[in-house]
Structure formats: C-alpha cells, structure tokens
Amino acid sequence: MRIGVNVPNFGPGTDPDVLRRWARTAEALGYDLLTISDHLAVTPDVAEQYPVPFYEPFTTLAWLAGATDRIRLGTSVLIVPYRHPLLMARMAANLDRFSGGRLVLGVGVGWARQEFEALGVPFERRGRLTDDHLLAMRAAWADGDDYRAGPIPFWVGGNGEAGLRRAVRLGQAWHPLRNTLPWLREAAGRLADVAAELGRPAPAFAPRIVLRLTAEPVTGPGRRAGEGTIGQIVADLDELRRLGADTVVLDPFDGDPADTLHPQTAWRALATVADHWDLDPYDPKEDDE
C-alpha cells in the first residue's frame, strides 16, 4: 500500500516557495503521491473552507513537477464540470508528459453552488456533466498522435452512492474523503458489492484520511481514521491495508486557515508517520548512479 499527502494549495501561509517545500519534503520522506485541491472562483461558500489565495491545480502541479523527481502528482479532487473537457484533456496530457507520467486525476462533481453560478455552470446538471466530460477526455486521449497521454487514471471522489457507482463505471479508483474507520470498513465492502451488481471489476480503493497527530489517544465513535497517537494512526493504516487499499492519502489540513502559516507542524507529523511506517526516503543522488 502506498501513502500520499494532500497539500493545501490555498490559505494565507501558502505561496510558491511553501508549495515547493511541501513537495520536496513529502518526496524526501518517501511519500508516493502529492495531491492538491481545486477551486476557480473563491465565492463566499468556498472561502469559508478554503480561503484565498487559491492556486489553480494544473498550474501548480506543473510548477511542482519541475521541483520534484519521482513523487506522483494529483488532484483531490478536480471539479470536472468547471472546465471544457477538451481543455482538461489537453492540460492533463501535457502535464502527464512533462512530469514523466506521474499524474493522477482525482475527480469530482463539486458542491459549491455559488461557485457554479459564478462560472455559469448549471449546478443541477453537475453529475451528468461529470460523466460526459470524463468520457470525452478518455476519447480525446485515444488520439495518441496528438495528446500523447499515457494511462492517466481517474480517481473518482464522492462519499455517497453516486460517487461510488461513478467510480465503478468510469474510474480506476474510488477516492472517498475523510471519514471514520467503521465507515471505511463498510465502504470497502460496498465497493465490491456495487462492482458485482454492475458486472464490472472493482476499481482500486484509495481513500483520503485526516492526519491529526495527538499526544493522547483519541477515543469515541466519532474518531476519524488518521486521528490520534502515532500508534492509532499506524493501526488505521494497517487496517486500511488489510481492507485492500491501494493508496491512502493523508490530509494534514483540518480546517483552520492559520495552520497554513505553520506548515512545519504538518511536516513533523508526516516525518513521524514516515518513521513508523517504514517509508523509503528519497535520495536524489540515487538517480545519478
């Protein structure tokens, strides 16, 4: 099982240098994947959770591709209805090629009604638009002479039934976000059931969980996976591996924009997990041998 990191590409403490340091820290610690989020118009409903500045994901990942060597780069998640599918297909194909085939596209339908209105996209049609756009992107990539895209995977987000079924129909992985371990246990079983019902192979299971390291154990039924002492976090990762997770993405941002001013706290938590999970630290000198 591979481990990734979701990096805040927004907030008062985020700038190009901080993003580069995030990427190089995650890569040096041995993490396999770095993901960032997506918003285009930071309307009031978006700003409540993701304050400005907000760095657009394709531009940001292109910047980070040049600042890293081997860590995979992805979105968690790209809001598919916001852009024309051929524009997304072109940007994704170019980014995948420039990065040496390191792109993972986490995709979703979106939730911010005011942002949809600002962009002139019908909120009520976001599910159908997402399906149509994903199919159009895949068809565009079939033109290998033009797009020259490798097998760019779709990780379909969404914790509900619609997201799960979309993942089985159109994705290479299901990418549910930030939930409890009992919920994730049930979700892994539900993934297999829906795949069997639809007569399709089950996609990979690639959840994103919180990373909140505490000195004392976190107890109670509401404890989210990835929350608590390092022993609890490692136990959660062990269980997700037993559940068949292909990749688990750790998300250190827990809702306070001021946290982006002090990324060192998250970096220390990532280093602690790396020490206890036996990640393979990256030495760029190895690539020169």
Side-chain angles (χ1 to χ4, degrees):
M1 186 178 78
R2 295 177 286 188
I3 309 294
V5 181
N6 193 62
V7 170
N9 53 316
F10 53 83
T14 300
D15 61 29
D17 181 61
V18 169
L19 286 164
R20 178 173 54 191
R21 291 168 65 193
W22 264 104
R24 290 180 172 172
T25 297
E27 183 172 68
L29 289 170
Y31 287 92
D32 174 78
L33 171 67
L34 179 154
T35 64
I36 58 176
S37 303
D38 180 30
H39 284 286
L40 295 180
V42 185
T43 48
D45 50 353
V46 174
E48 287 181 3
Q49 298 186 43
Y50 305 104
V52 298
F54 204 109
Y55 291 86
E56 192 277 329
F58 282 108
T59 311
T60 304
L61 291 175
W63 160 248
L64 296 180
T68 56
D69 295 298
R70 75 172 186 180
I71 193 168
R72 290 189 295 166
L73 304 166
T75 51
S76 180
V77 292
L78 185 74
I79 303 173
V80 174
Y82 284 174
R83 300 168 180 85
H84 193 284
L86 294 183
L87 174 63
M88 288 187 290
R90 180 74 63 190
M91 291 191 294
N94 291 168
L95 178 53
D96 189 62
R97 190 161 178 83
F98 290 150
S99 67
R102 290 189 278 150
L103 182 61
V104 174
L105 277 183
V107 296
V109 302
W111 55 269
R113 185 180 289 270
Q114 293 174 359
E115 188 174 23
F116 274 85
E117 292 173 354
L119 295 170
V121 179
F123 183 80
E124 294 76 11
R125 294 186 57 217
R126 66 195 189 281
R128 175 59 62 84
L129 287 170
T130 297
D131 291 353
D132 291 345
H133 286 9
L134 294 178
L135 291 170
M137 291 168 68
R138 191 165 289 158
W141 292 335
D143 184 348
D145 291 335
D146 183 1
Y147 287 86
R148 300 187 178 186
I152 303 173
F154 290 140
W155 286 14
V156 179
N159 291 4
E161 186 74 8
L164 170 54
R165 288 179 173 272
R166 182 172 291 110
V168 172
R169 289 187 291 106
L170 298 173
Q172 282 70 50
W174 183 35
H175 184 51
L177 309 180
R178 301 170 63 93
N179 222 305
T180 66
L181 202 55
W183 187 94
L184 289 163
R185 288 189 201 108
E186 184 176 348
R190 181 65 181 148
L191 177 61
D193 291 343
V194 169
E197 175 191 332
L198 297 180
R200 303 182 64 90
F205 186 45
R208 186 176 110 200
I209 66 173
V210 303
L211 173 59
R212 192 172 80 85
L213 183 61
T214 63
E216 299 297 327
V218 176
T219 58
R223 185 185 77 86
R224 299 166 297 177
E227 186 173 38
T229 64
I230 186 59
Q232 287 180 297
I233 294 169
V234 169
D236 290 345
L237 292 173
D238 270 329
E239 178 149 2
L240 288 169
R241 178 166 55 184
R242 289 194 295 272
L243 289 172
D246 170 83
T247 302
V248 174
V249 179
L250 303 177
D251 188 353
F253 180 73
D254 206 24
D256 185 353
D259 288 348
T260 64
L261 296 164
H262 309 287
Q264 296 84 359
T265 301
W267 297 342
R268 286 193 293 269
L270 290 169
T272 300
V273 173
D275 286 343
H276 287 78
W277 190 254
D278 195 27
L279 295 182
D280 182 19
Y282 174 54
D283 182 357
K285 296 178 182 178
E286 295 176 355
D287 292 339
D288 298 330
E289 295 177 356

